[in-house]
Amino acid sequence: MASFYNVFSLRVRGMTNLVKFLRKFNAFAYRSTGTDAAVAQAETVGRDTRDGKDGRKSLPTLLVERQEQAEKSVLISCQSKANEKKFLKYLSRHGDIKKYFFYETYGMYAVVEFASQDSVASLLDTAAVPSVSHESMVPFKSRLLSLRNPSLVDLSNQQSGLQCQPQTTIPINELIQRLSKDESVDRQITSLTEFYQLTEENIRLRFLVCSLLKDIAAAYFPECTIKPFGSSVNGFGKLGCDLDMFLDLDSISGWNPKSGLFLEYQMKRANSERAVTQSILSVIGECMDHFGPGCVGVQKILNARCPLVRFSHQPSGFQCDLTANNRVAMKSTELLYMYGELDPRVRSLVFTVRCWARTHGVTSSIPGAWITNFSLTVMVLFFLQKRSPPIIPTLDHLQDLAGPTDKCIIEGNNCTFVSDFSKVQIPSNKETLEQLLCEFFEFYATFPFSRMSINIRKGKEQNKPEVAPLHIQNPFETSLNISKNVNTTQLDHFIALCQESSWLFNHRETVTLRGVGGDNTATPWGLATLLLPSQVAGIKRHKKRRREPASERIKGLLESLKNKNQGKKS
Ligand code: GTP
Ligand code: MG
């Protein structure tokens, strides 16, 4: 079993109620082996750790590696004026440090990965429970620590000497400026992807948070794992995206009925699998709420189609959704990851379309009748399957290529598809990112949404089985529509924006580099123009304004851009 255990201070009133609880935790307490620390040969984290022969690893392989890294890591709140060298020397008394980095949210934090798990135990053995006179302390140990040691502070340095890794994206105006300085639309699309995608450090932090939360859940389920899914790991995550997690109890050993020796279970008042999931999430949610270090605003949303516990993890700044028994979502994450790995244009296009959609209010962080990022990603995949020749294969084709070990049936749904990337042969399609983006807008500006459904299993539109405005077949639970929530207004908004962007893209003014002015500000062009406030959206907000033909509105927009540019030159 993974060893852990730490000191985090729990401030609760009424210590007596917790004695039983603590005994339970102590049963899993880690015993230090007391390593002699070698001098740290630490490296800061590089951007890319892919080391597979062809640079590609399957998602399950990657998850295992990341989880192992996370188990050997600690999260330390530190003083902003800490001296980096002294800080590392202090920690390396417990063992070699493999990687580390600093970041800032509500204070300065360090993520430190030791070469050995023993070092984590050694470090935790020296950690003390803080004394606060007015509150009771629960000495529950976690790998979230606080290092306040005056001897590690650099008094000569007025400013923080620690180099912090960004954990959020650049603001949209800055993005527009930076893109406007790129020399081609293809470069703009690649730049946007680079600015927005999760960094190596942010991915490590996500896995570490899962690992820290697993330590808490393990009080109830000692061999459980908490795995990230969704955009944190599917390759389409943007800095700042939520952290979707899944409590995996299937990896627990004890599934060998031949032994004749069975664990005793009592399924109290649980008459369905859903009810069991709700009970599990209910107790884990309670636990996070009362004892989870850094977990704030815990809400148990147990009556949702997919029950979940939602909370903020303050030290990382992540908005977290914890689910259980959600293996289909894990499979769709794996599928999206695979599509992203098959051709680099897939990720770039998804990032660009997601950014464009968010800027124009097509998607939102608030649940509602909006198109979700997941639906939008499936729409991009479908569009890429429809190219001639296709850029990515259909899900049916990936299923045909699957070997016996790939077979996967979840709750009666066939979730089988090939896991070996090298078996997937893709015909050569040489379209540029610029062409693809332009074609994407044209494709959906004219798609027969009223009659047809989007289906990435077949790679062909199908007749709509129900009357929802937008129908996108769930790739694995094929009777479900993943965009059931979308209403006509939102779909119309999306179509109007596609029409506008398609028009803009076909206009010479938009796709011509405008140059940089004397004050080093660049006039928006190309992709940057598509991220400017939309005329379509503007008109919708001012209902009283008469609706002009789309071409007139766009012409007006282009004129205003042209005038602005001329104003700068004169
Ligand atoms: P962002 O969080 O918006 O960056 O994207 P995301 O892909 O993580 O989406 P979200 O957090 O909404 O959902 C997480 C994952 O759950 C998705 O990647 C899908 O794998 C899965 N998922 C989301 N919505 C649906 C849905 O309607 N049906 C199914 N089957 N799975 C979904
Ligand atoms: Mg998500």
Side-chain angles (χ1 to χ4, degrees), residues 185-233:
V185 174
D186 271 39
R187 182 62 230 160
Q188 289 183 322
I189 295 174
T190 315
S191 298
L192 183 143
T193 311
E194 286 163 4
F195 288 135
Y196 269 32
Q197 71 193 351
L198 298 182
T199 58
E200 165 67 19
E201 295 81 11
N202 195 269
I203 294 172
R204 277 173 177 265
L205 185 56
R206 285 170 189 268
F207 276 86
L208 178 52
V209 170
C210 289
S211 178
L212 296 176
L213 298 172
K214 184 261 327 184
D215 290 355
I216 300 168
Y220 285 96
F221 306 105
E223 292 177 68
C224 70
T225 49
I226 291 190
K227 293 178 176 159
F229 70 98
S231 61
S232 294
V233 286

Side-chain angles (χ1 to χ4, degrees), residues 229-231 234 241-242 244 329 332-333 354 373-374 474 477 482:
F229 70 98
S231 61
N234 66 14
C241 68
D242 67 354
D244 303 294
S332 38
T333 301
R354 279 189 175 204
N373 270 334
F374 180 56
N474 186 322
E477 294 162 292
I482 62 166

Side-chain angles (χ1 to χ4, degrees), residues 75-246:
L75 182 54
I76 305 179
S77 157
C78 50
Q79 292 129 301
S80 62
K81 286 187 188 148
N83 176 293
E84 189 170 330
K85 272 195 182 148
K86 289 182 190 170
F87 177 80
L88 291 174
K89 198 170 166 202
Y90 176 88
L91 292 176
S92 62
R93 286 185 295 171
H94 300 278
D96 287 350
I97 294 170
K98 207 168 164 197
K99 309 264 183 194
Y100 71 92
F101 64 90
F102 298 94
Y103 71 91
E104 211 172 354
T105 47
Y106 301 98
M108 186 70 78
Y109 287 89
V111 171
V112 180
E113 185 199 343
F114 285 95
S116 153
Q117 229 170 336
D118 292 345
S119 308
V120 176
S122 165
L123 178 71
L124 296 178
D125 262 10
T126 60
V129 178
S131 59
V132 178
S133 53
H134 60 282
E135 283 176 324
S136 300
M137 283 296 160
V138 179
F140 170 62
K141 293 188 164 190
S142 87
R143 280 175 287 141
L144 173 57
L145 301 157
S146 171
L147 184 54
R148 299 278 177 263
N149 185 331
S151 71
L152 305 182
V153 172
D154 207 344
L155 292 171
S156 61
N157 200 349
Q158 288 303 302
Q159 296 197 330
S160 166
L162 303 174
Q163 215 192 351
C164 288
Q165 296 300 325
Q167 304 299 317
T168 49
T169 52
I170 54 173
I172 186 72
N173 288 344
E174 198 180 325
L175 177 75
I176 290 175
Q177 263 303 302
R178 293 215 199 172
L179 297 183
S180 302
K181 291 176 185 167
D182 280 332
E183 71 288 355
S184 69
V185 174
D186 271 39
R187 182 62 230 160
Q188 289 183 322
I189 295 174
T190 315
S191 298
L192 183 143
T193 311
E194 286 163 4
F195 288 135
Y196 269 32
Q197 71 193 351
L198 298 182
T199 58
E200 165 67 19
E201 295 81 11
N202 195 269
I203 294 172
R204 277 173 177 265
L205 185 56
R206 285 170 189 268
F207 276 86
L208 178 52
V209 170
C210 289
S211 178
L212 296 176
L213 298 172
K214 184 261 327 184
D215 290 355
I216 300 168
Y220 285 96
F221 306 105
E223 292 177 68
C224 70
T225 49
I226 291 190
K227 293 178 176 159
F229 70 98
S231 61
S232 294
V233 286
N234 66 14
F236 302 117
K238 172 187 154 191
L239 277 174
C241 68
D242 67 354
L243 174 56
D244 303 294
M245 292 168 288
F246 143 64

Side-chain angles (χ1 to χ4, degrees), residues 310-361:
R310 178 165 287 172
F311 56 94
S312 296
H313 185 259
Q314 220 163 36
S316 62
F318 295 143
Q319 182 65 35
C320 300
D321 278 350
L322 177 68
T323 56
N325 194 15
N326 196 6
R327 288 193 301 136
V328 178
M330 199 70 213
K331 261 337 242 188
S332 38
T333 301
E334 216 179 304
L335 179 70
L336 262 50
Y337 174 82
M338 179 172 220
Y339 277 130
E341 285 287 296
L342 289 178
D343 188 299
R345 288 171 293 182
V346 178
R347 261 184 206 141
S348 295
L349 209 61
V350 170
F351 267 101
T352 305
V353 171
R354 279 189 175 204
C355 173
W356 166 87
R358 187 59 191 265
T359 309
H360 296 300

